Amino acid sequence: TFEPFVKVSDVACSGDCFALQGGFRAFIDLQGLAIDRSATSTKGNVYVAWHDSRRVQFPDLASPTGFYGYADAVVSVSSNGGANWSAPVRMNQNVEPLANGRGTDQYMPGIAVDKTGRVEACFYHRRLDPKNFFFDRFCALSTDGGQTWADARQTRSSSPSIHATDTFINPFYMGDYDGMASDFTNINKGFVGAF
C-alpha cells in the first residue's frame, strides 16, 4: 500500500516545454531522488532533484507556449519521510538573467548522498556559453542538507549539442539517462556520476 500523494512543488516547464535549445529533450525529466543514510543529523532526509524554468523566461514566438524557459537544476528536501517538502532551492550558481534578459540552461540533475551526509548533484550546464548552445558538466555539493550549494565544472572543454545522428534508435535522444550514486553500504564516501 502507498500513502496518499504529496505534492513536492509546482514545476515550470523548460525550453519550449518539449526540448531545450540545441535539441536536448526536456519534457521527460528522468532525474533524481536520494535518501540520506548517513549517521549524521541529516539522516533520513529525502532529496528530489529536477530542472525547472521558474526564474528566467523569455518571449519566443517559435515556441508553442510563446516563451522559452531557461532551466535551473533545483532540489526540494523532506526531513519527515515525504510528508512535507521545502521550497525548491537552485543548485547551479550562475548569475541570471544575463544582461540581454535571457539565461542559460542547467538541466537533468542526478543526485546522491554519501556516508558523511554530503549531497551532490551533477547536471549539464551552459553558463560558459551566453548563446546557450555549448554545454559542460558541472557538479554541485551541499554540506548542510541541501540548503546551500557550491558548483564546479567537471569537463575540460565544452561540447556542442549534436543529436539526430542515430536514426536507428531515436533521433531526439540526448542526455536522458544521467545518474549519481554513492556507496549505499556506507563503507566508502564520495560519488560516482554517469552521463
Side-chain angles (χ1 to χ4, degrees):
T1 63
F2 291 90
E3 295 291 324
F5 285 110
V6 174
K7 182 177 178 179
V8 175
S9 174
D10 290 327
V11 177
C13 68
S14 299
D16 65 4
C17 293
F18 179 80
L20 298 175
Q21 185 176 330
F24 274 86
R25 187 174 66 168
F27 74 98
I28 298 176
D29 191 350
L30 305 171
Q31 303 318 306
L33 178 139
I35 300 170
D36 188 334
R37 295 180 177 96
S38 71
T40 67
S41 63
T42 56
K43 181 178 182 175
N45 278 6
V46 182
Y47 301 87
V48 174
W50 70 95
H51 56 255
D52 188 291
S53 70
R54 69 184 70 210
R55 292 184 70 245
V56 181
Q57 297 184 359
F58 197 82
D60 180 357
L61 298 178
S63 168
T65 62
F67 68 90
Y68 184 92
Y70 291 95
D72 282 314
V74 297
V75 63
S76 285
V77 184
S78 175
S79 59
N80 60 7
N84 302 98
W85 292 88
S86 69
V89 173
R90 185 173 173 250
M91 295 183 285
N92 47 287
Q93 301 301 302
N94 53 307
V95 176
E96 288 185 337
L98 302 175
N100 62 7
R102 296 176 183 260
T104 57
D105 289 314
Q106 289 63 237
Y107 50 101
M108 296 185 178
I111 194 165
V113 184
D114 78 357
K115 76 174 202 167
T116 67
R118 296 180 312 159
V119 187
E120 185 164 87
C122 294
F123 42 88
Y124 296 108
H125 207 312
R126 288 178 166 165
R127 80 160 53 143
L128 302 176
D129 181 8
K131 294 184 179 177
N132 200 42
F133 182 73
F134 286 90
F135 64 92
D136 284 274
R137 192 72 173 170
F138 273 65
C139 292
L141 180 69
S142 175
T143 58
D144 60 6
Q147 296 177 48
T148 61
W149 296 82
D151 64 359
R153 183 181 186 186
Q154 304 300 309
T155 48
R156 292 185 180 163
S157 60
S158 301
S159 298
S161 296
I162 299 174
H163 68 291
T165 58
D166 190 341
T167 58
F168 295 109
I169 296 177
N170 189 315
F172 300 107
Y173 278 60
M174 187 172 187
D176 277 356
Y177 304 104
D178 304 52
M180 288 289 299
S182 63
D183 182 353
F184 72 90
T185 66
N186 281 337
I187 295 171
N188 303 293
K189 67 179 186 175
F191 304 93
V192 176
F195 64 99

